[in-house]
Amino acid sequence: MTYYPIIIPTLNRYEKLKACIDSLAQCEEAKYTELVIGLDYPPADKYIDGWKKISEYIETIKGFAKITCIRQSENIGAIKNSQLLEHYALEKYDAYIYSEDDNVFSPYFLRFINEGLDKYKEDNSVMAVCGYSYPIDWKTEKDCVLQHQYFSAWGCGCWKTKEKLFMNEINDNYFLRNFCRKGIKTLLNESPSNFIGFMNYAFYNEIPNYDISRSFYILLNNLNVLMPRKTLVTNDGWDGSGENCIEKSYIDFSNLDRNETESVNVSDVEIIFSKELEAAIFTLKPKSALIKANAKYFLIKLFGLNNIRRIRHFLRRRK
């Protein structure tokens, strides 16, 4: 088995980061794993105390083959911080394991990700290996599922070659190219939350963040994500401290029921498209979101995506 590095961007949430790293250190594979922490610089005084605690804590971490800290002398933001970590990892390895700083892991997480990265390295139909699994009934007795609905950044493994291909595809023309595809509306209707997001980003000509952009890419290209049937990750940022986690769903997406007792067989897999998952994710959207998405789709079909952008640019200049 290959031991890939785990990269974690962070800033000031000392308690969250410590719980994350303590849980990773419980994995048998940690002692063979390089831990790479990206410590961003505080953008304001209110972040300094937590940042100092993390800076001191990093010097005390044990249990990993190597500990690397990439420190910033000025604030660069979460996205650039993550990108620098990815660049560092892919300069040395064929794949990497990514985690946000508020995840808590099963002792079997690193084994699952490393074995999944090895097994599916040459399989171009699999985009990523995700240790988090949504709190739904996958309706299977298999250890794992392959699904092409949603990607989760809450502890995932990605390959260099597939990431390069993805990054080359995601650019300013991505939405235009795919919007013109035959059957695109039918495909997006299968996944209403992805449809809402796709229309929003297409309309405003923006490239979405890490997990959303990959979810679009996986759905539109009929790729798969490997996930355990029972999660190996709990998201501890669902308490409101996380940047994007909010509490307005009937499902607890933090997913406290983590697999702590047994390893996962990455070869015991079923391919699944889950309507229950669609319903769960859809509850995170405002009630009006689907109506607005359909309105945007109608306007784009009527005027064309480029003309919509020209109109919006003209209106902004008039203000």
Side-chain angles (χ1 to χ4, degrees), residues 94 116-117 119-129 158-169 214 217 223-224:
D94 292 332
L117 287 171
K119 178 174 176 58
Y120 292 96
K121 182 177 182 179
E122 305 300 330
D123 187 340
N124 291 329
S125 71
V126 180
M127 172 73 174
V129 181
C158 301
W159 297 271
K160 177 189 285 189
T161 53
K162 298 176 187 181
E163 279 294 291
K164 282 187 175 180
L165 181 62
F166 165 74
M167 293 307 297
N168 288 336
E169 286 283 314
R214 283 162 176 77
Y217 187 78
L223 303 175
N224 285 308

Side-chain angles (χ1 to χ4, degrees), residues 6 25 37 49 96 149 155 172-173 185-186 205 237 251 265 274:
I6 181 161
I37 299 171
D49 183 58
Y96 65 88
Q149 292 167 269
D172 291 342
N173 294 319
K185 183 64 161 63
T186 301
N205 192 23
I251 285 183
N265 180 1
S274 172

Side-chain angles (χ1 to χ4, degrees), residues 1 3-4 28-34 63-66 93:
M1 181 168 63
Y3 300 99
Y4 297 100
E28 178 69 22
E29 296 72 24
K31 60 178 175 284
Y32 307 111
T33 301
E34 180 178 5
F64 297 86
K66 181 180 180 182
Y93 300 89

Side-chain angles (χ1 to χ4, degrees), residues 138 146-149 190-191 219 271-275 278:
W138 284 106
L146 282 166
Q147 57 89 11
H148 68 276
Q149 292 167 269
E190 293 181 6
S191 182
L219 180 70
I271 299 176
I272 289 179
F273 188 96
S274 172
K275 294 193 178 207
E278 286 299 333

Side-chain angles (χ1 to χ4, degrees), residues 226-293:
L226 179 72
M227 281 185 170
R229 179 168 54 89
K230 184 175 182 180
T231 192
L232 296 169
V233 187
T234 294
N235 184 283
D236 197 32
W238 207 262
D239 56 3
S241 67
E243 188 172 340
N244 298 307
C245 292
I246 49 179
E247 298 179 76
K248 58 177 182 180
S249 171
Y250 69 90
I251 285 183
D252 181 4
F253 281 93
S254 63
N255 210 354
L256 299 175
D257 187 21
R258 188 173 60 237
N259 176 1
E260 297 279 337
T261 60
E262 55 188 23
S263 61
V264 180
N265 180 1
V266 298
S267 298
D268 189 27
V269 179
E270 183 172 347
I271 299 176
I272 289 179
F273 188 96
S274 172
K275 294 193 178 207
E276 186 179 344
L277 175 57
E278 286 299 333
I281 297 289
F282 191 63
T283 64
L284 298 176
K285 306 292 182 183
K287 291 183 178 179
S288 61
L290 192 56
I291 296 172
K292 291 179 179 178

Side-chain angles (χ1 to χ4, degrees), residues 6 21-35 57-67 110:
I6 181 161
I21 292 176
D22 284 349
S23 67
L24 285 169
Q26 297 301 310
C27 296
E28 178 69 22
E29 296 72 24
K31 60 178 175 284
Y32 307 111
T33 301
E34 180 178 5
L35 173 66
Y57 165 67
I58 289 171
E59 303 301 323
T60 70
I61 297 173
K62 293 181 174 58
F64 297 86
K66 181 180 180 182
I67 298 165
L110 286 179

